[in-house]
């Protein structure tokens, strides 16, 4: 009798402890045992972004001449033979147009980092077959686009080392959001 | 609304197919039989798509159905244009936007994602890189809140010549939903975010691989949600099924849809969308970057562009919202700005949500201009178009939030003007 009372009390106590454990799990959500560790292989397969310092650029290289060929085959249909004609976004030109009444924002006139061109083409272009280009093709396309915009010379070969060092004309054209700016 | 087919015409003179009993029901149900025989006299000869019994009390109604649809008499739709569609603000009631009418915008189509195969990867400056299934995320302690989402390109026509169109066409890239999911901070605790992780890349699993850098400020850490729910059910595909990021008050684009990856870092990642695209070009040729918060805006939705008024009573109604918190006041003028009256804010009035305002009004048949201007809890007041353009010029594309003016002509027609 006495013993069973003690057991009962113990059970109640345990139940109380378990309840508080559940409650604290709610407050400290890291106690939730959901999800699993990511493998290095998984991360490598998905980690496609390229930072302005070049982090994330894969090994590879490409020339302006190679880029011209790939561009004609894979891009010109949507962006025009020289990147100026459309019908989709104009990719070339607009130099010194940002202060005019008709600003033309292109890779050459507006984009602050050459690495962003690589990042964007790698994830999104060509729009009808995204993520189908090899690293060498991507370096070549970036080289051709930068050459067309008068940013690099025709004989430059781009790779993971030289691409982040390309200086873009509008590198300092941005400032942190100052809003609210209108009184 | 699908049109009736010839087949349906054959089966019945008046009753639409959905209202017809199956052959079996027909054979076993005397009531249906009665309805059928009575149909020719009980149904009016109306437009085929809106046929209804003359007296619904004398015809049995429809059976329960597994997934509901609105009445066939309701025709409000999104306005679809290229890569976006707009919410019919003029037709909404209250503050919620039905999921089916939530605006959409995407950068290479709406992906079709099998939720059982979808994964969220979190890596970078954290101690434990982890992968989560959607089902696992749904087992985490959940959180839910209402919030508006607005494309920063909403109202962008305002920078140019006044377009004579509806409020939906001008301002319909904004909607309010209830969003349900896991707090971002819960997940970042779980993966043990490192102290120097001040930025986070959020990447979508769509054909644009859309990616944005999110500053990990206290505000973001307190309020961001990794969502799987919208208005009581799963996210709609257009809103990011099966997972999206919600950053209440921030421009639509950074609320990354079809979320598949979060990477923590110590600097912004400078994706195309935060450099080439969603930056605001100023008259001096420089551009605002990371202009994330949506400033307060209000717009009168009734009456609004392209509507036709008769002299008499109207309740002026509209919506106001601010990325910086609650709307505290909306003033309305119905005499082209000579006098302003405080509108009534209709409950619920919630932070970073559409807020409905109302003001009774009688149109006397004279030409006039109506406008609204809102103030939010930070004291910020919606600017005039002149004040906005004075600072930002007319070429910044995004974040247009000036006072909207509707002109009511003597013939009762309402049109968009700058006043």
């Amino acid at each position: 009798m006495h013993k069973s009372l003690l057991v009962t009390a113990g059970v109640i106590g345990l139940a109380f402890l378990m309840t508080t454990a559940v409650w604290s799990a709610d407050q400290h959500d890291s106690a939730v045992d959901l999800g699993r560790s990511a493998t290095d292989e998984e991360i490598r397969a998905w980690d496609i972004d390229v930072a302005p310092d070049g982090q994330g650029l894969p090994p590879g290289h490409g020339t302006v001449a190679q880029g011209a060929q790939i561009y004609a085959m894979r891009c010109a249909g949507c962006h025009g033979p020289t990147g100026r004609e459309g019908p989709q976004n104009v990719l070339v030109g607009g130099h010194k147009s940002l202060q005019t009444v008709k600003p033309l924002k292109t890779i050459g006139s507006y984009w602050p980092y050459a690495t962003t061109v690589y990042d964007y083409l790698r994830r999104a272009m060509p729009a009808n077959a995204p993520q189908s280009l090899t690293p060498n093709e991507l370096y070549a396309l970036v080289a051709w686009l930068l050459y067309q915009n008068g940013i690099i010379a025709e004989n430059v070969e781009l790779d993971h080392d030289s691409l982040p060092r390309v200086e873009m004309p509008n590198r300092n054209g941005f400032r942190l959001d100052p809003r609210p700016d209108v009184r | 609304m699908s049109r009736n087919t010839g087949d349906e015409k054959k089966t019945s003179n008046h009753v639409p197919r959905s209202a017809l009993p199956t052959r079996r029901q027909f054979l076993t149900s005397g009531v249906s039989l009665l309805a059928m025989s009575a149909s020719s006299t009980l149904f009016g000869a109306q437009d085929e798509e809106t046929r209804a019994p003359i007296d619904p009390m004398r015809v049995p109604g429809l059976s329960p159905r597994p997934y509901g649809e609105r009445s066939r008499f309701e025709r409000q739709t999104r306005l679809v244009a290229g890569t976006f569609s707009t919410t019919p603000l003029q037709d909404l009631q209250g503050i919620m936007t039905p999921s089916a009418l939530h605006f959409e915008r995407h950068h290479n189509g709406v992906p079709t994602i099998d939720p059982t195969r979808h994964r969220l990867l979190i890596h970078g400056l954290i101690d434990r890189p982890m992968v989560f299934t959607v089902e696992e995320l749904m087992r985490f302690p959940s959180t839910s809140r209402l919030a508006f989402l607005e494309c920063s390109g909403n109202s962008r026509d305002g920078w140019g010549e006044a377009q004579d169109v509806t409020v939906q066409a001008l301002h319909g890239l904004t909607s309010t939903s209830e969003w349900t999911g896991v707090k971002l901070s819960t997940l970042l605790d779980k993966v043990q975010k490192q102290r120097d992780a001040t930025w986070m890349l959020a990447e979508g699993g769509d054909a644009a691989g859309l990616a944005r850098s999110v500053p990990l400020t206290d505000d973001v850490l307190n309020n961001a949600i990794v969502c799987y729910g919208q208005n009581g059910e799963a996210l709609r595909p257009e809103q990011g099924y099966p997972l999206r990021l919600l950053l209440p008050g921030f421009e639509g684009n950074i609320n990354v849809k079809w979320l598949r990856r979060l990477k923590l870092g110590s600097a912004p990642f400078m994706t195309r969308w935060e450099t080439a695209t969603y930056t605001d070009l100023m008259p001096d040729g420089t551009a605002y970057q990371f202009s994330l918060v949506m400033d307060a805006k209000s717009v009168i939705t009734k009456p609004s562009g392209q509507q036709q008024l008769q002299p008499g009573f109207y309740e002026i109604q509209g919506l106001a919202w601010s990325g910086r918190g609650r709307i505290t006041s909306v003033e309305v003028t119905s005499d082209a700005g000579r006098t302003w009256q405080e509108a009534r804010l209709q409950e619920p009035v919630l932070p970073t949500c559409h807020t409905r305002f109302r003001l009774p009004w009688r149109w006397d048949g004279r030409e006039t201009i109506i406008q609204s201007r809102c103030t939010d809890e930070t004291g910020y007041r919606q600017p005039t178009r002149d004040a906005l353009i004075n600072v930002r010029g007319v070429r910044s594309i995004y974040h247009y939030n000036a006072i909207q003016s509707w002109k009511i002509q003597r013939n009762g027609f309402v049109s968009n003007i700058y006043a």
Side-chain angles (χ1 to χ4, degrees), chain B residues 360-419:
Chain B
W361 172 62
R362 182 173 293 280
W363 184 49
D364 59 13
R366 274 186 295 202
E367 185 174 296
T368 189
I369 293 168
I370 59 172
Q371 300 170 318
S372 65
R373 67 180 181 208
C374 65
T375 305
D376 71 17
E377 66 181 78
T378 69
Y380 175 93
R381 190 155 93 171
Q382 185 181 10
T384 63
R385 184 169 184 273
D386 283 349
L388 185 65
I389 282 174
N390 197 26
V391 174
R392 300 203 200 142
V394 294
R395 293 163 299 132
S396 60
I397 303 178
Y398 305 105
H399 300 288
Y400 182 93
N401 71 325
I403 291 171
Q404 166 69 45
S405 308
W406 300 119
K407 178 175 181 173
I408 297 157
Q409 293 166 23
R410 204 189 303 263
N411 66 9
F413 191 71
V414 185
S415 53
N416 172 34
I417 58 148
Y418 297 144

Side-chain angles (χ1 to χ4, degrees), chain B residues 258-312:
Chain B
W258 314 296
L259 188 69
R260 72 153 198 170
R261 186 164 73 102
L262 298 172
K263 179 181 184 177
L264 282 79
S266 56
F269 294 77
M270 300 297 180
T271 72
R272 174 247 185 177
W273 290 274
E274 61 212 16
T275 54
T277 312
Y278 295 101
T279 47
D280 312 10
L281 186 62
M282 294 296 122
D284 68 357
T286 67
Y288 295 176
Q289 193 178 24
F290 299 112
S291 42
L292 301 178
V293 178
M294 298 307 294
D295 284 324
K297 189 189 288 187
S298 74
V299 57
I300 294 172
T301 55
K302 299 177 191 179
S304 60
Q306 307 294 298
Q307 293 179 353
Q308 179 68 50
L309 307 189
Q310 307 296 328

Side-chain angles (χ1 to χ4, degrees), chain A residues 25-40 42-52 55-56 89 97-106 110-113 115-116 119-120 123-131 170-183, chain B residues 108 119-123 128-132 136-137 139-141 186 189-190 201 203 206-211 260-261 263 268-277 279-295 324 380-381 383-384 387-388 391-392 395-399:
Chain A
D26 212 47
Q27 263 125 43
H28 304 282
D29 297 332
S30 55
V32 180
D33 61 345
L34 294 165
R36 61 167 175 81
S37 297
T39 64
D40 288 348
E42 278 173 321
I43 296 172
R44 253 198 314 279
W46 281 29
D47 190 10
I48 57 170
D49 60 279
V50 175
Q55 261 192 66
N89 301 39
S97 73
L98 298 182
Q99 286 172 64
T100 67
V101 288
K102 278 213 157 175
L104 181 58
K105 296 193 235 168
T106 71
Y110 199 58
W111 293 41
Y113 304 100
T115 47
T116 304
D119 175 284
Y120 181 66
R123 65 176 66 245
M125 286 297 135
N128 51 2
Q131 306 203 0
N170 198 38
R171 170 66 186 85
N172 296 316
F174 296 85
R175 48 181 159 138
L176 257 190
D177 176 24
R179 296 171 310 142
D181 54 350
V182 181
R183 314 265 143 210
Chain B
N108 201 1
R119 298 287 181 273
L120 176 66
L121 168 68
I122 311 183
H123 71 122
R128 300 186 56 202
M130 291 190 77
V131 177
F132 299 94
E136 283 167 337
L137 292 172
R139 284 171 55 198
F140 269 88
T186 301
D189 284 350
K190 175 88 187 150
L201 185 76
E203 182 178 86
D206 60 326
L210 192 137
R260 72 153 198 170
R261 186 164 73 102
K263 179 181 184 177
F269 294 77
M270 300 297 180
T271 72
R272 174 247 185 177
W273 290 274
E274 61 212 16
T275 54
T277 312
T279 47
D280 312 10
L281 186 62
M282 294 296 122
D284 68 357
T286 67
Y288 295 176
Q289 193 178 24
F290 299 112
S291 42
L292 301 178
V293 178
M294 298 307 294
D295 284 324
R324 298 181 203 278
Y380 175 93
R381 190 155 93 171
T384 63
L388 185 65
V391 174
R392 300 203 200 142
R395 293 163 299 132
S396 60
I397 303 178
Y398 305 105
H399 300 288

Side-chain angles (χ1 to χ4, degrees), chain A:
Chain A
M1 179 86 178
H2 206 94
K3 203 176 161 193
S4 73
L5 247 183
L6 268 181
V7 170
T8 311
V11 168
I12 292 172
L14 191 67
F16 181 75
L17 276 177
M18 281 166 67
T19 318
T20 47
V22 170
W23 273 102
S24 62
D26 212 47
Q27 263 125 43
H28 304 282
D29 297 332
S30 55
V32 180
D33 61 345
L34 294 165
R36 61 167 175 81
S37 297
T39 64
D40 288 348
E41 201 181 326
E42 278 173 321
I43 296 172
R44 253 198 314 279
W46 281 29
D47 190 10
I48 57 170
D49 60 279
V50 175
D53 64 4
Q55 261 192 66
L57 280 173
H61 50 85
T63 65
V64 173
Q66 290 161 347
Q69 282 193 347
I70 304 161
Y71 181 87
M73 272 164 45
R74 308 287 310 265
C75 323
C78 288
H79 294 286
T82 73
R84 291 177 183 82
E85 302 85 354
Q88 301 302 343
N89 301 39
V90 173
L91 308 178
V92 175
H95 191 52
K96 288 205 182 337
S97 73
L98 298 182
Q99 286 172 64
T100 67
V101 288
K102 278 213 157 175
L104 181 58
K105 296 193 235 168
T106 71
I107 291 169
S109 68
Y110 199 58
W111 293 41
Y113 304 100
T115 47
T116 304
V117 186
Y118 191 102
D119 175 284
Y120 181 66
L121 299 187
R122 182 195 217 180
R123 65 176 66 245
M125 286 297 135
N128 51 2
Q131 306 203 0
S132 63
L133 296 165
T134 65
N136 285 356
E137 289 174 319
L138 288 164
Y139 281 113
L141 282 166
V142 177
W144 185 82
L145 287 166
L146 295 177
Y147 166 68
Q148 284 292 302
N149 276 293
I151 296 167
I152 61 172
E154 194 168 4
N155 58 357
V156 171
E157 186 180 56
L158 286 182
D159 59 20
H160 68 279
D161 194 43
S162 55
L163 176 58
R165 287 191 277 114
V166 172
E167 267 187 43
M168 299 294 275
N170 198 38
R171 170 66 186 85
N172 296 316
F174 296 85
R175 48 181 159 138
L176 257 190
D177 176 24
R179 296 171 310 142
D181 54 350
V182 181
R183 314 265 143 210

Side-chain angles (χ1 to χ4, degrees), chain B residues 322-337:
Chain B
S322 168
R324 298 181 203 278
R326 270 188 183 75
I327 292 294
T328 50
S329 143
V330 180
E331 296 160 285
V332 170
T333 178
S334 56
D335 56 11

